[in-house]
Amino acid sequence: QVQLVESGGGLVQPGGSLRLSCAASGFTFSRYAMSWYRQASGKERELVADITSGGGRTGYADSVKGRFTISRDDAKNTVALQMNSLKPEDTAVYYCNAVRRAYGDYWGKGTLVTVSS
């Protein structure tokens, strides 16, 4: 049974930091590219950051470049998103996604991040 379980969300003040984690099970994690998406209230889901299988390449949305860092640990089947210098506009539900060409993709249920004073 495939599972992606996000954790680490919560309430943080502007300028603060949070570290999201996604624990994967039920599939060959190391062969999947991993991504973090987010969806703010009333908006479409958007790609925040991604990392290739093997971790050789990462990509970021312009809005988070220099503030967020994605990483993966294939030994622990986890992917993390370190979020620094958080802004109110980063408030959203953050989702973990796993994708492998010809195999399809999987989604977690999300974790809420609220940036507010």
Side-chain angles (χ1 to χ4, degrees), residues 16-73:
S17 297
L18 279 177
R19 184 176 178 86
L20 305 183
S21 184
C22 172
S25 61
F27 62 99
T28 309
F29 178 81
S30 63
R31 297 189 178 182
Y32 281 70
M34 299 299 297
S35 303
W36 286 95
Y37 285 75
R38 68 185 180 188
Q39 187 166 20
S41 180
K43 295 189 177 181
E44 293 188 355
R45 191 172 296 189
E46 63 172 351
L47 176 64
V48 175
D50 55 18
I51 185 166
T52 54
S53 61
R57 193 166 69 245
T58 58
Y60 298 91
D62 287 344
S63 58
V64 307
K65 277 181 184 175
R67 300 188 297 123
F68 290 11
T69 302
I70 188 171
S71 60
R72 65 187 296 158
D73 185 337

Side-chain angles (χ1 to χ4, degrees), residues 55-113:
R57 193 166 69 245
T58 58
Y60 298 91
D62 287 344
S63 58
V64 307
K65 277 181 184 175
R67 300 188 297 123
F68 290 11
T69 302
I70 188 171
S71 60
R72 65 187 296 158
D73 185 337
D74 287 351
K76 295 182 178 179
N77 287 2
T78 58
V79 60
L81 185 69
Q82 177 66 42
M83 305 186 296
N84 299 327
S85 302
L86 283 161
K87 305 175 180 181
E89 52 263 43
D90 294 318
T91 295
V93 177
Y94 284 72
Y95 298 91
C96 179
N97 170 265
V99 63
R100 181 181 178 191
R101 191 176 299 176
Y103 284 77
D105 68 337
Y106 307 117
W107 290 91
K109 293 183 178 181
T111 185
L112 176 63
V113 172

